[in-house]
Amino acid sequence: MTENSANTPPQTPTQPPIRVRIAPSPTGDPHVGTAYIGLINFIYARQRGGQFVLRIEDTDRARFVATSEQMIFDALHWLGLTWDEGPDVGGPYGPYRQSERTAIYREYVEILLKNGTAYRAFEDAEELEALRQRQIAAKLPPRYDGAHRSLTQQQIDAYRAEGRPYVIRLKVPEGSTTFRDELRGDITFEHSNVDDQVLMKSDGFPTYHLANVVDDYLMRITDVIRAEEWISSTPKHVLLYQAFGWPTPRFWHMPLLRNLDKSKISKRKNPVSLVYYRETGFLPQAVINFLGLMGGGMPSPTPVEVVNGAKESEIFSLDEMVQKFEVPNIRLGGPVFDLTKLKWLNSEYLRALTPDAFFTALRSTVLSDDYLRNISTLIQTRVETLGQFGDLTAFLLKDNILPPPEVWVPKKRTPEETLLFAADQLALLETTEWTHEAMELVLKQLGEEKSWSVKENFMLLRAIVSGSTMSPPLLESMVVFGKARTLDRLRRFQDTQKKLAHK
RNA sequence: GGCGUUAUGGUGUAACUGGUUAACACGUCGCCCUCUCAAGGCGAAGAGUCCGGGUUCGAGCCCCGGUAACGCUACCA
């Protein structure tokens, strides 16, 4: 370890200043879950005069999306959340982007290697997969078998001389780990159920677990407020703090936002992109208000308020949340992210706007100059009079499109195979760069693979996106309409057809 | 399968330290208002608090045992 002024423990006998953080991964569109956890952290920090840190966890090179980081900043700002330290605003504990901290992780993992709490493992992905398959076949829990836990120095040197890639794993000792969850109390895990977690991947990047613990320590985070899905990996984190000889922060695990069927919120069943909410015309005040309703936390209205204006008790601003929200009062049951209620809230905010503000809201979102300009270029050569604008562009202005089967099922296809193909299109477009050229290429490839003619292929997509077999150029329209809204439309189509099929 | 977490109307929440008939909001339905649709007003249905035991004069709140749902179980976060 080199000299590092940030090396003092985050918790000294005199209460250190509260510091919290969110650590989103730039792997796609900014997620409502990120906003939810961000909101809770923001409130917690603001209430206690603490600092709120934004850290970008971009250690997964495979899933990295270059445009994602800026979208995260924009979406959180849109909601009114601000942070004291982060990649964009700097701060005393930077860098705040994990990809810029790899030297730090290497340095720290070296400490673990030296003190015997971590070790090199030379198996490659195939070997591990084979091991996993054997364990599953034998009905054993799939787990790393610790084969390389105690390689001799000679073996290690030999492997390294060959240039064989390796990962660094945490050496989980015998026993058990108990940690306190501030919302639930003590939680204990037997170490027999804790895997020798990979800390450093063979590409030299840390895994979440290592980077997270090292950064939280170096950034002097006092309270880790994150989603419930992290509970099972918390013992690994605690073990890491111990391996380094560092005190642990407080842990608060927030309930997971859910779909209507109670599963963890997902794009299949709900719009989860904050971009979607912005583009389809939700007001940020409504979205943040709705998020504040999730999991309780706001005080219940007094009887007087109930009599005089019960509604008021569910409508509150970010500032009011900072004043009244109590993080420790959070309910633990996973709240359903119910669009119906969000829409009601949004309508309340919309109605409360002055006519002028309402018009401005409209003109800055679904009828913005930029949007209208982009649309207009699509139809200029296709209209006889300007009055036909609406006829040709309605599908780009509407919230919902529901094409009938005679429109979306090609003549020589069955509804079943068409639906299947549409699902393939959707899956493909989800991971495709949102440009005309990129989409055209992958769609045509898909068509060839599945023996769908270009005409059938694009006509189907056109039907789903525009609700008609006639439209301005499809891919250009999709680009203008935007990835978030287009994909949501495709997903809603799948969803609707599935529901119809089950009836 | 293993481990962990959670559980109040369809949904979000409420119910002081156990204390009357489990409250509020969204949604749904009906009525009123109204050129329509919303909004607004009035009203209704909808849970006996996951299930089974126990403690207690009294349990949604405490204890024990189940069940279900969800999460984790990657060189993803």
Side-chain angles (χ1 to χ4, degrees):
Chain A
M1 196 191 314
T2 57
E3 289 308 309
N4 191 327
S5 60
N7 266 346
T8 44
Q11 309 228 25
T12 55
T14 57
Q15 286 291 313
I18 294 294
R19 289 176 58 82
V20 297
R21 101 281 123 121
I22 50 168
S25 289
T27 53
D29 278 16
H31 197 277
V32 285
T34 302
Y36 177 55
I37 300 297
L39 169 66
I40 304 299
N41 274 280
F42 174 87
I43 291 171
Y44 187 85
R46 289 290 173 271
Q47 286 179 338
R48 282 150 243 256
Q51 264 103 46
F52 176 38
V53 177
L54 174 64
R55 183 172 72 219
I56 293 291
E57 301 220 342
D58 54 352
T59 56
D60 184 353
R61 295 184 312 166
R63 293 203 303 155
F64 178 74
V65 177
T67 53
S68 185
E69 181 183 294
Q70 190 58 46
M71 287 165 76
I72 292 170
F73 297 159
D74 293 346
L76 295 177
H77 280 140
W78 175 66
L79 289 171
L81 300 179
T82 53
W83 43 96
D84 306 293
E85 298 168 26
D88 55 337
V89 293
Y93 301 98
Y96 293 92
R97 214 175 263 121
Q98 289 186 331
S99 58
E100 294 167 10
R101 299 171 65 84
T102 49
I104 298 174
Y105 307 124
R106 282 201 200 99
E107 180 188 322
Y108 277 90
V109 83
E110 203 56 41
I111 296 171
L112 302 183
L113 243 21
K114 286 215 178 84
N115 72 17
T117 52
Y119 61 97
R120 292 186 176 85
F122 295 84
E123 294 94 343
D124 62 27
E126 287 101 76
E127 289 173 284
L128 291 173
E129 184 53 31
L131 169 67
R132 203 169 297 129
Q133 290 311 324
R134 265 179 277 133
Q135 289 167 326
I136 291 169
K139 296 202 193 286
L140 291 166
R143 200 187 313 289
Y144 178 62
D145 60 7
H148 287 193
R149 255 182 172 229
S150 38
L151 292 179
T152 64
Q153 193 56 47
Q154 286 89 328
Q155 285 171 303
I156 294 173
D157 291 342
Y159 278 139
R160 296 190 73 185
E162 288 174 33
R164 193 163 163 167
Y166 62 87
V167 300
I168 297 173
R169 288 179 181 270
L170 177 65
K171 190 180 275 181
V172 176
E174 302 276 294
S176 66
T177 290
T178 298
F179 63 89
R180 180 174 155 76
D181 177 293
E182 300 297 325
L183 295 172
R184 293 158 239 262
D186 286 352
I187 299 176
T188 299
F189 282 82
E190 295 297 327
H191 290 180
S192 56
N193 295 313
V194 181
D195 212 350
D196 276 5
Q197 184 63 49
V198 171
L199 302 176
M200 187 74 87
K201 304 177 233 176
S202 55
D203 65 3
F205 277 79
T207 58
Y208 169 86
H209 308 282
L210 203 228
N212 191 262
V213 166
V214 169
D215 286 348
D216 283 348
Y217 171 75
L218 293 179
M219 295 180 183
R220 306 199 188 184
I221 299 303
T222 56
D223 293 80
V224 172
I225 306 175
R226 80 230 297 189
E228 186 181 4
E229 56 188 331
W230 293 105
I231 289 178
S232 344
S233 27
T234 304
K236 292 168 186 171
H237 303 164
V238 171
L239 249 15
L240 269 175
Y241 281 102
Q242 289 169 353
F244 282 116
W246 298 336
T248 53
R250 280 181 291 267
F251 293 105
W252 307 72
H253 290 99
M254 303 299 299
L256 244 22
L257 261 25
R258 308 295 181 96
N259 298 311
L260 224 33
D261 64 6
K262 298 279 186 184
S263 53
K264 173 165 116 175
I265 194 167
S266 65
K267 62 187 177 188
R268 289 278 156 226
K269 298 171 180 173
N270 255 311
V272 294
S273 166
L274 292 169
V275 174
Y276 169 87
Y277 290 95
R278 182 163 49 74
E279 288 184 350
T280 53
F282 284 85
L283 296 178
Q285 308 93 289
V287 175
I288 203 78
N289 186 158
F290 181 62
L291 255 12
L293 247 23
M294 302 279 90
M298 283 299 275
S300 50
T302 66
V304 175
E305 280 170 336
V306 170
V307 172
N308 294 338
K311 270 188 198 167
E312 258 45 47
S313 66
E314 291 203 309
I315 296 184
F316 38 75
S317 65
L318 224 202
D319 284 346
E320 286 173 288
M321 280 189 253
V322 170
Q323 282 169 33
K324 295 180 185 165
F325 199 98
E326 290 297 335
V327 175
N329 286 352
I330 289 286
R331 297 192 55 76
L332 271 5
V336 171
F337 192 90
D338 187 357
L339 250 1
T340 308
K341 185 127 183 185
L342 207 210
K343 283 181 186 165
W344 167 75
L345 258 178
N346 202 55
S347 72
E348 289 286 318
Y349 278 96
L350 248 18
R351 273 194 292 275
L353 258 25
T354 62
D356 206 51
F358 180 75
F359 179 71
T360 302
L362 217 42
R363 291 285 280 127
S364 61
T365 55
V366 297
L367 292 181
S368 69
D369 282 342
D370 279 351
Y371 189 52
L372 293 177
R373 185 173 293 115
N374 287 336
I375 294 180
S376 74
T377 62
L378 293 175
I379 57 130
Q380 184 175 2
T381 57
R382 293 177 173 76
V383 289
E384 295 164 310
T385 68
L386 296 174
Q388 289 167 355
F389 175 84
D391 301 292
L392 292 184
T393 62
F395 75 102
L396 293 169
L397 300 170
K398 287 178 120 170
D399 202 36
N400 255 314
I401 289 288
L402 220 188
E406 55 270 28
V407 169
W408 61 265
V409 182
K411 284 193 178 64
K412 293 174 185 167
R413 304 283 179 178
T414 65
E416 290 73 25
E417 64 178 323
T418 306
L419 232 34
L420 241 40
F421 189 78
D424 289 337
Q425 290 177 325
L426 169 57
L428 199 61
L429 290 171
E430 273 173 345
T431 57
T432 301
E433 197 199 342
W434 211 246
T435 62
H436 178 181
E437 295 76 19
M439 290 193 285
E440 177 162 10
L441 184 72
V442 295
L443 282 169
K444 282 185 171 163
Q445 279 171 356
L446 175 71
E448 270 172 43
E449 277 170 39
K450 307 273 176 180
S451 301
W452 272 61
S453 72
V454 176
K455 186 177 180 179
E456 289 176 314
N457 189 350
F458 282 73
M459 198 52 88
L460 169 61
L461 198 54
R462 181 189 313 283
I464 300 171
V465 171
S466 76
S468 159
T469 53
M470 208 179 66
S471 78
L474 177 61
L475 297 176
E476 285 90 328
S477 298
M478 286 164 60
V479 170
V480 169
F481 197 49
K483 184 172 186 174
R485 281 195 285 175
T486 306
L487 290 182
D488 183 73
R489 188 165 281 184
L490 299 183
R491 289 184 195 116
R492 249 23 76 198
F493 173 78
Q494 291 282 329
D495 219 44
T496 308
Q497 296 307 329
K498 253 175 231 160
K499 275 177 192 152
L500 290 175
H502 285 297
K503 273 178 187 168

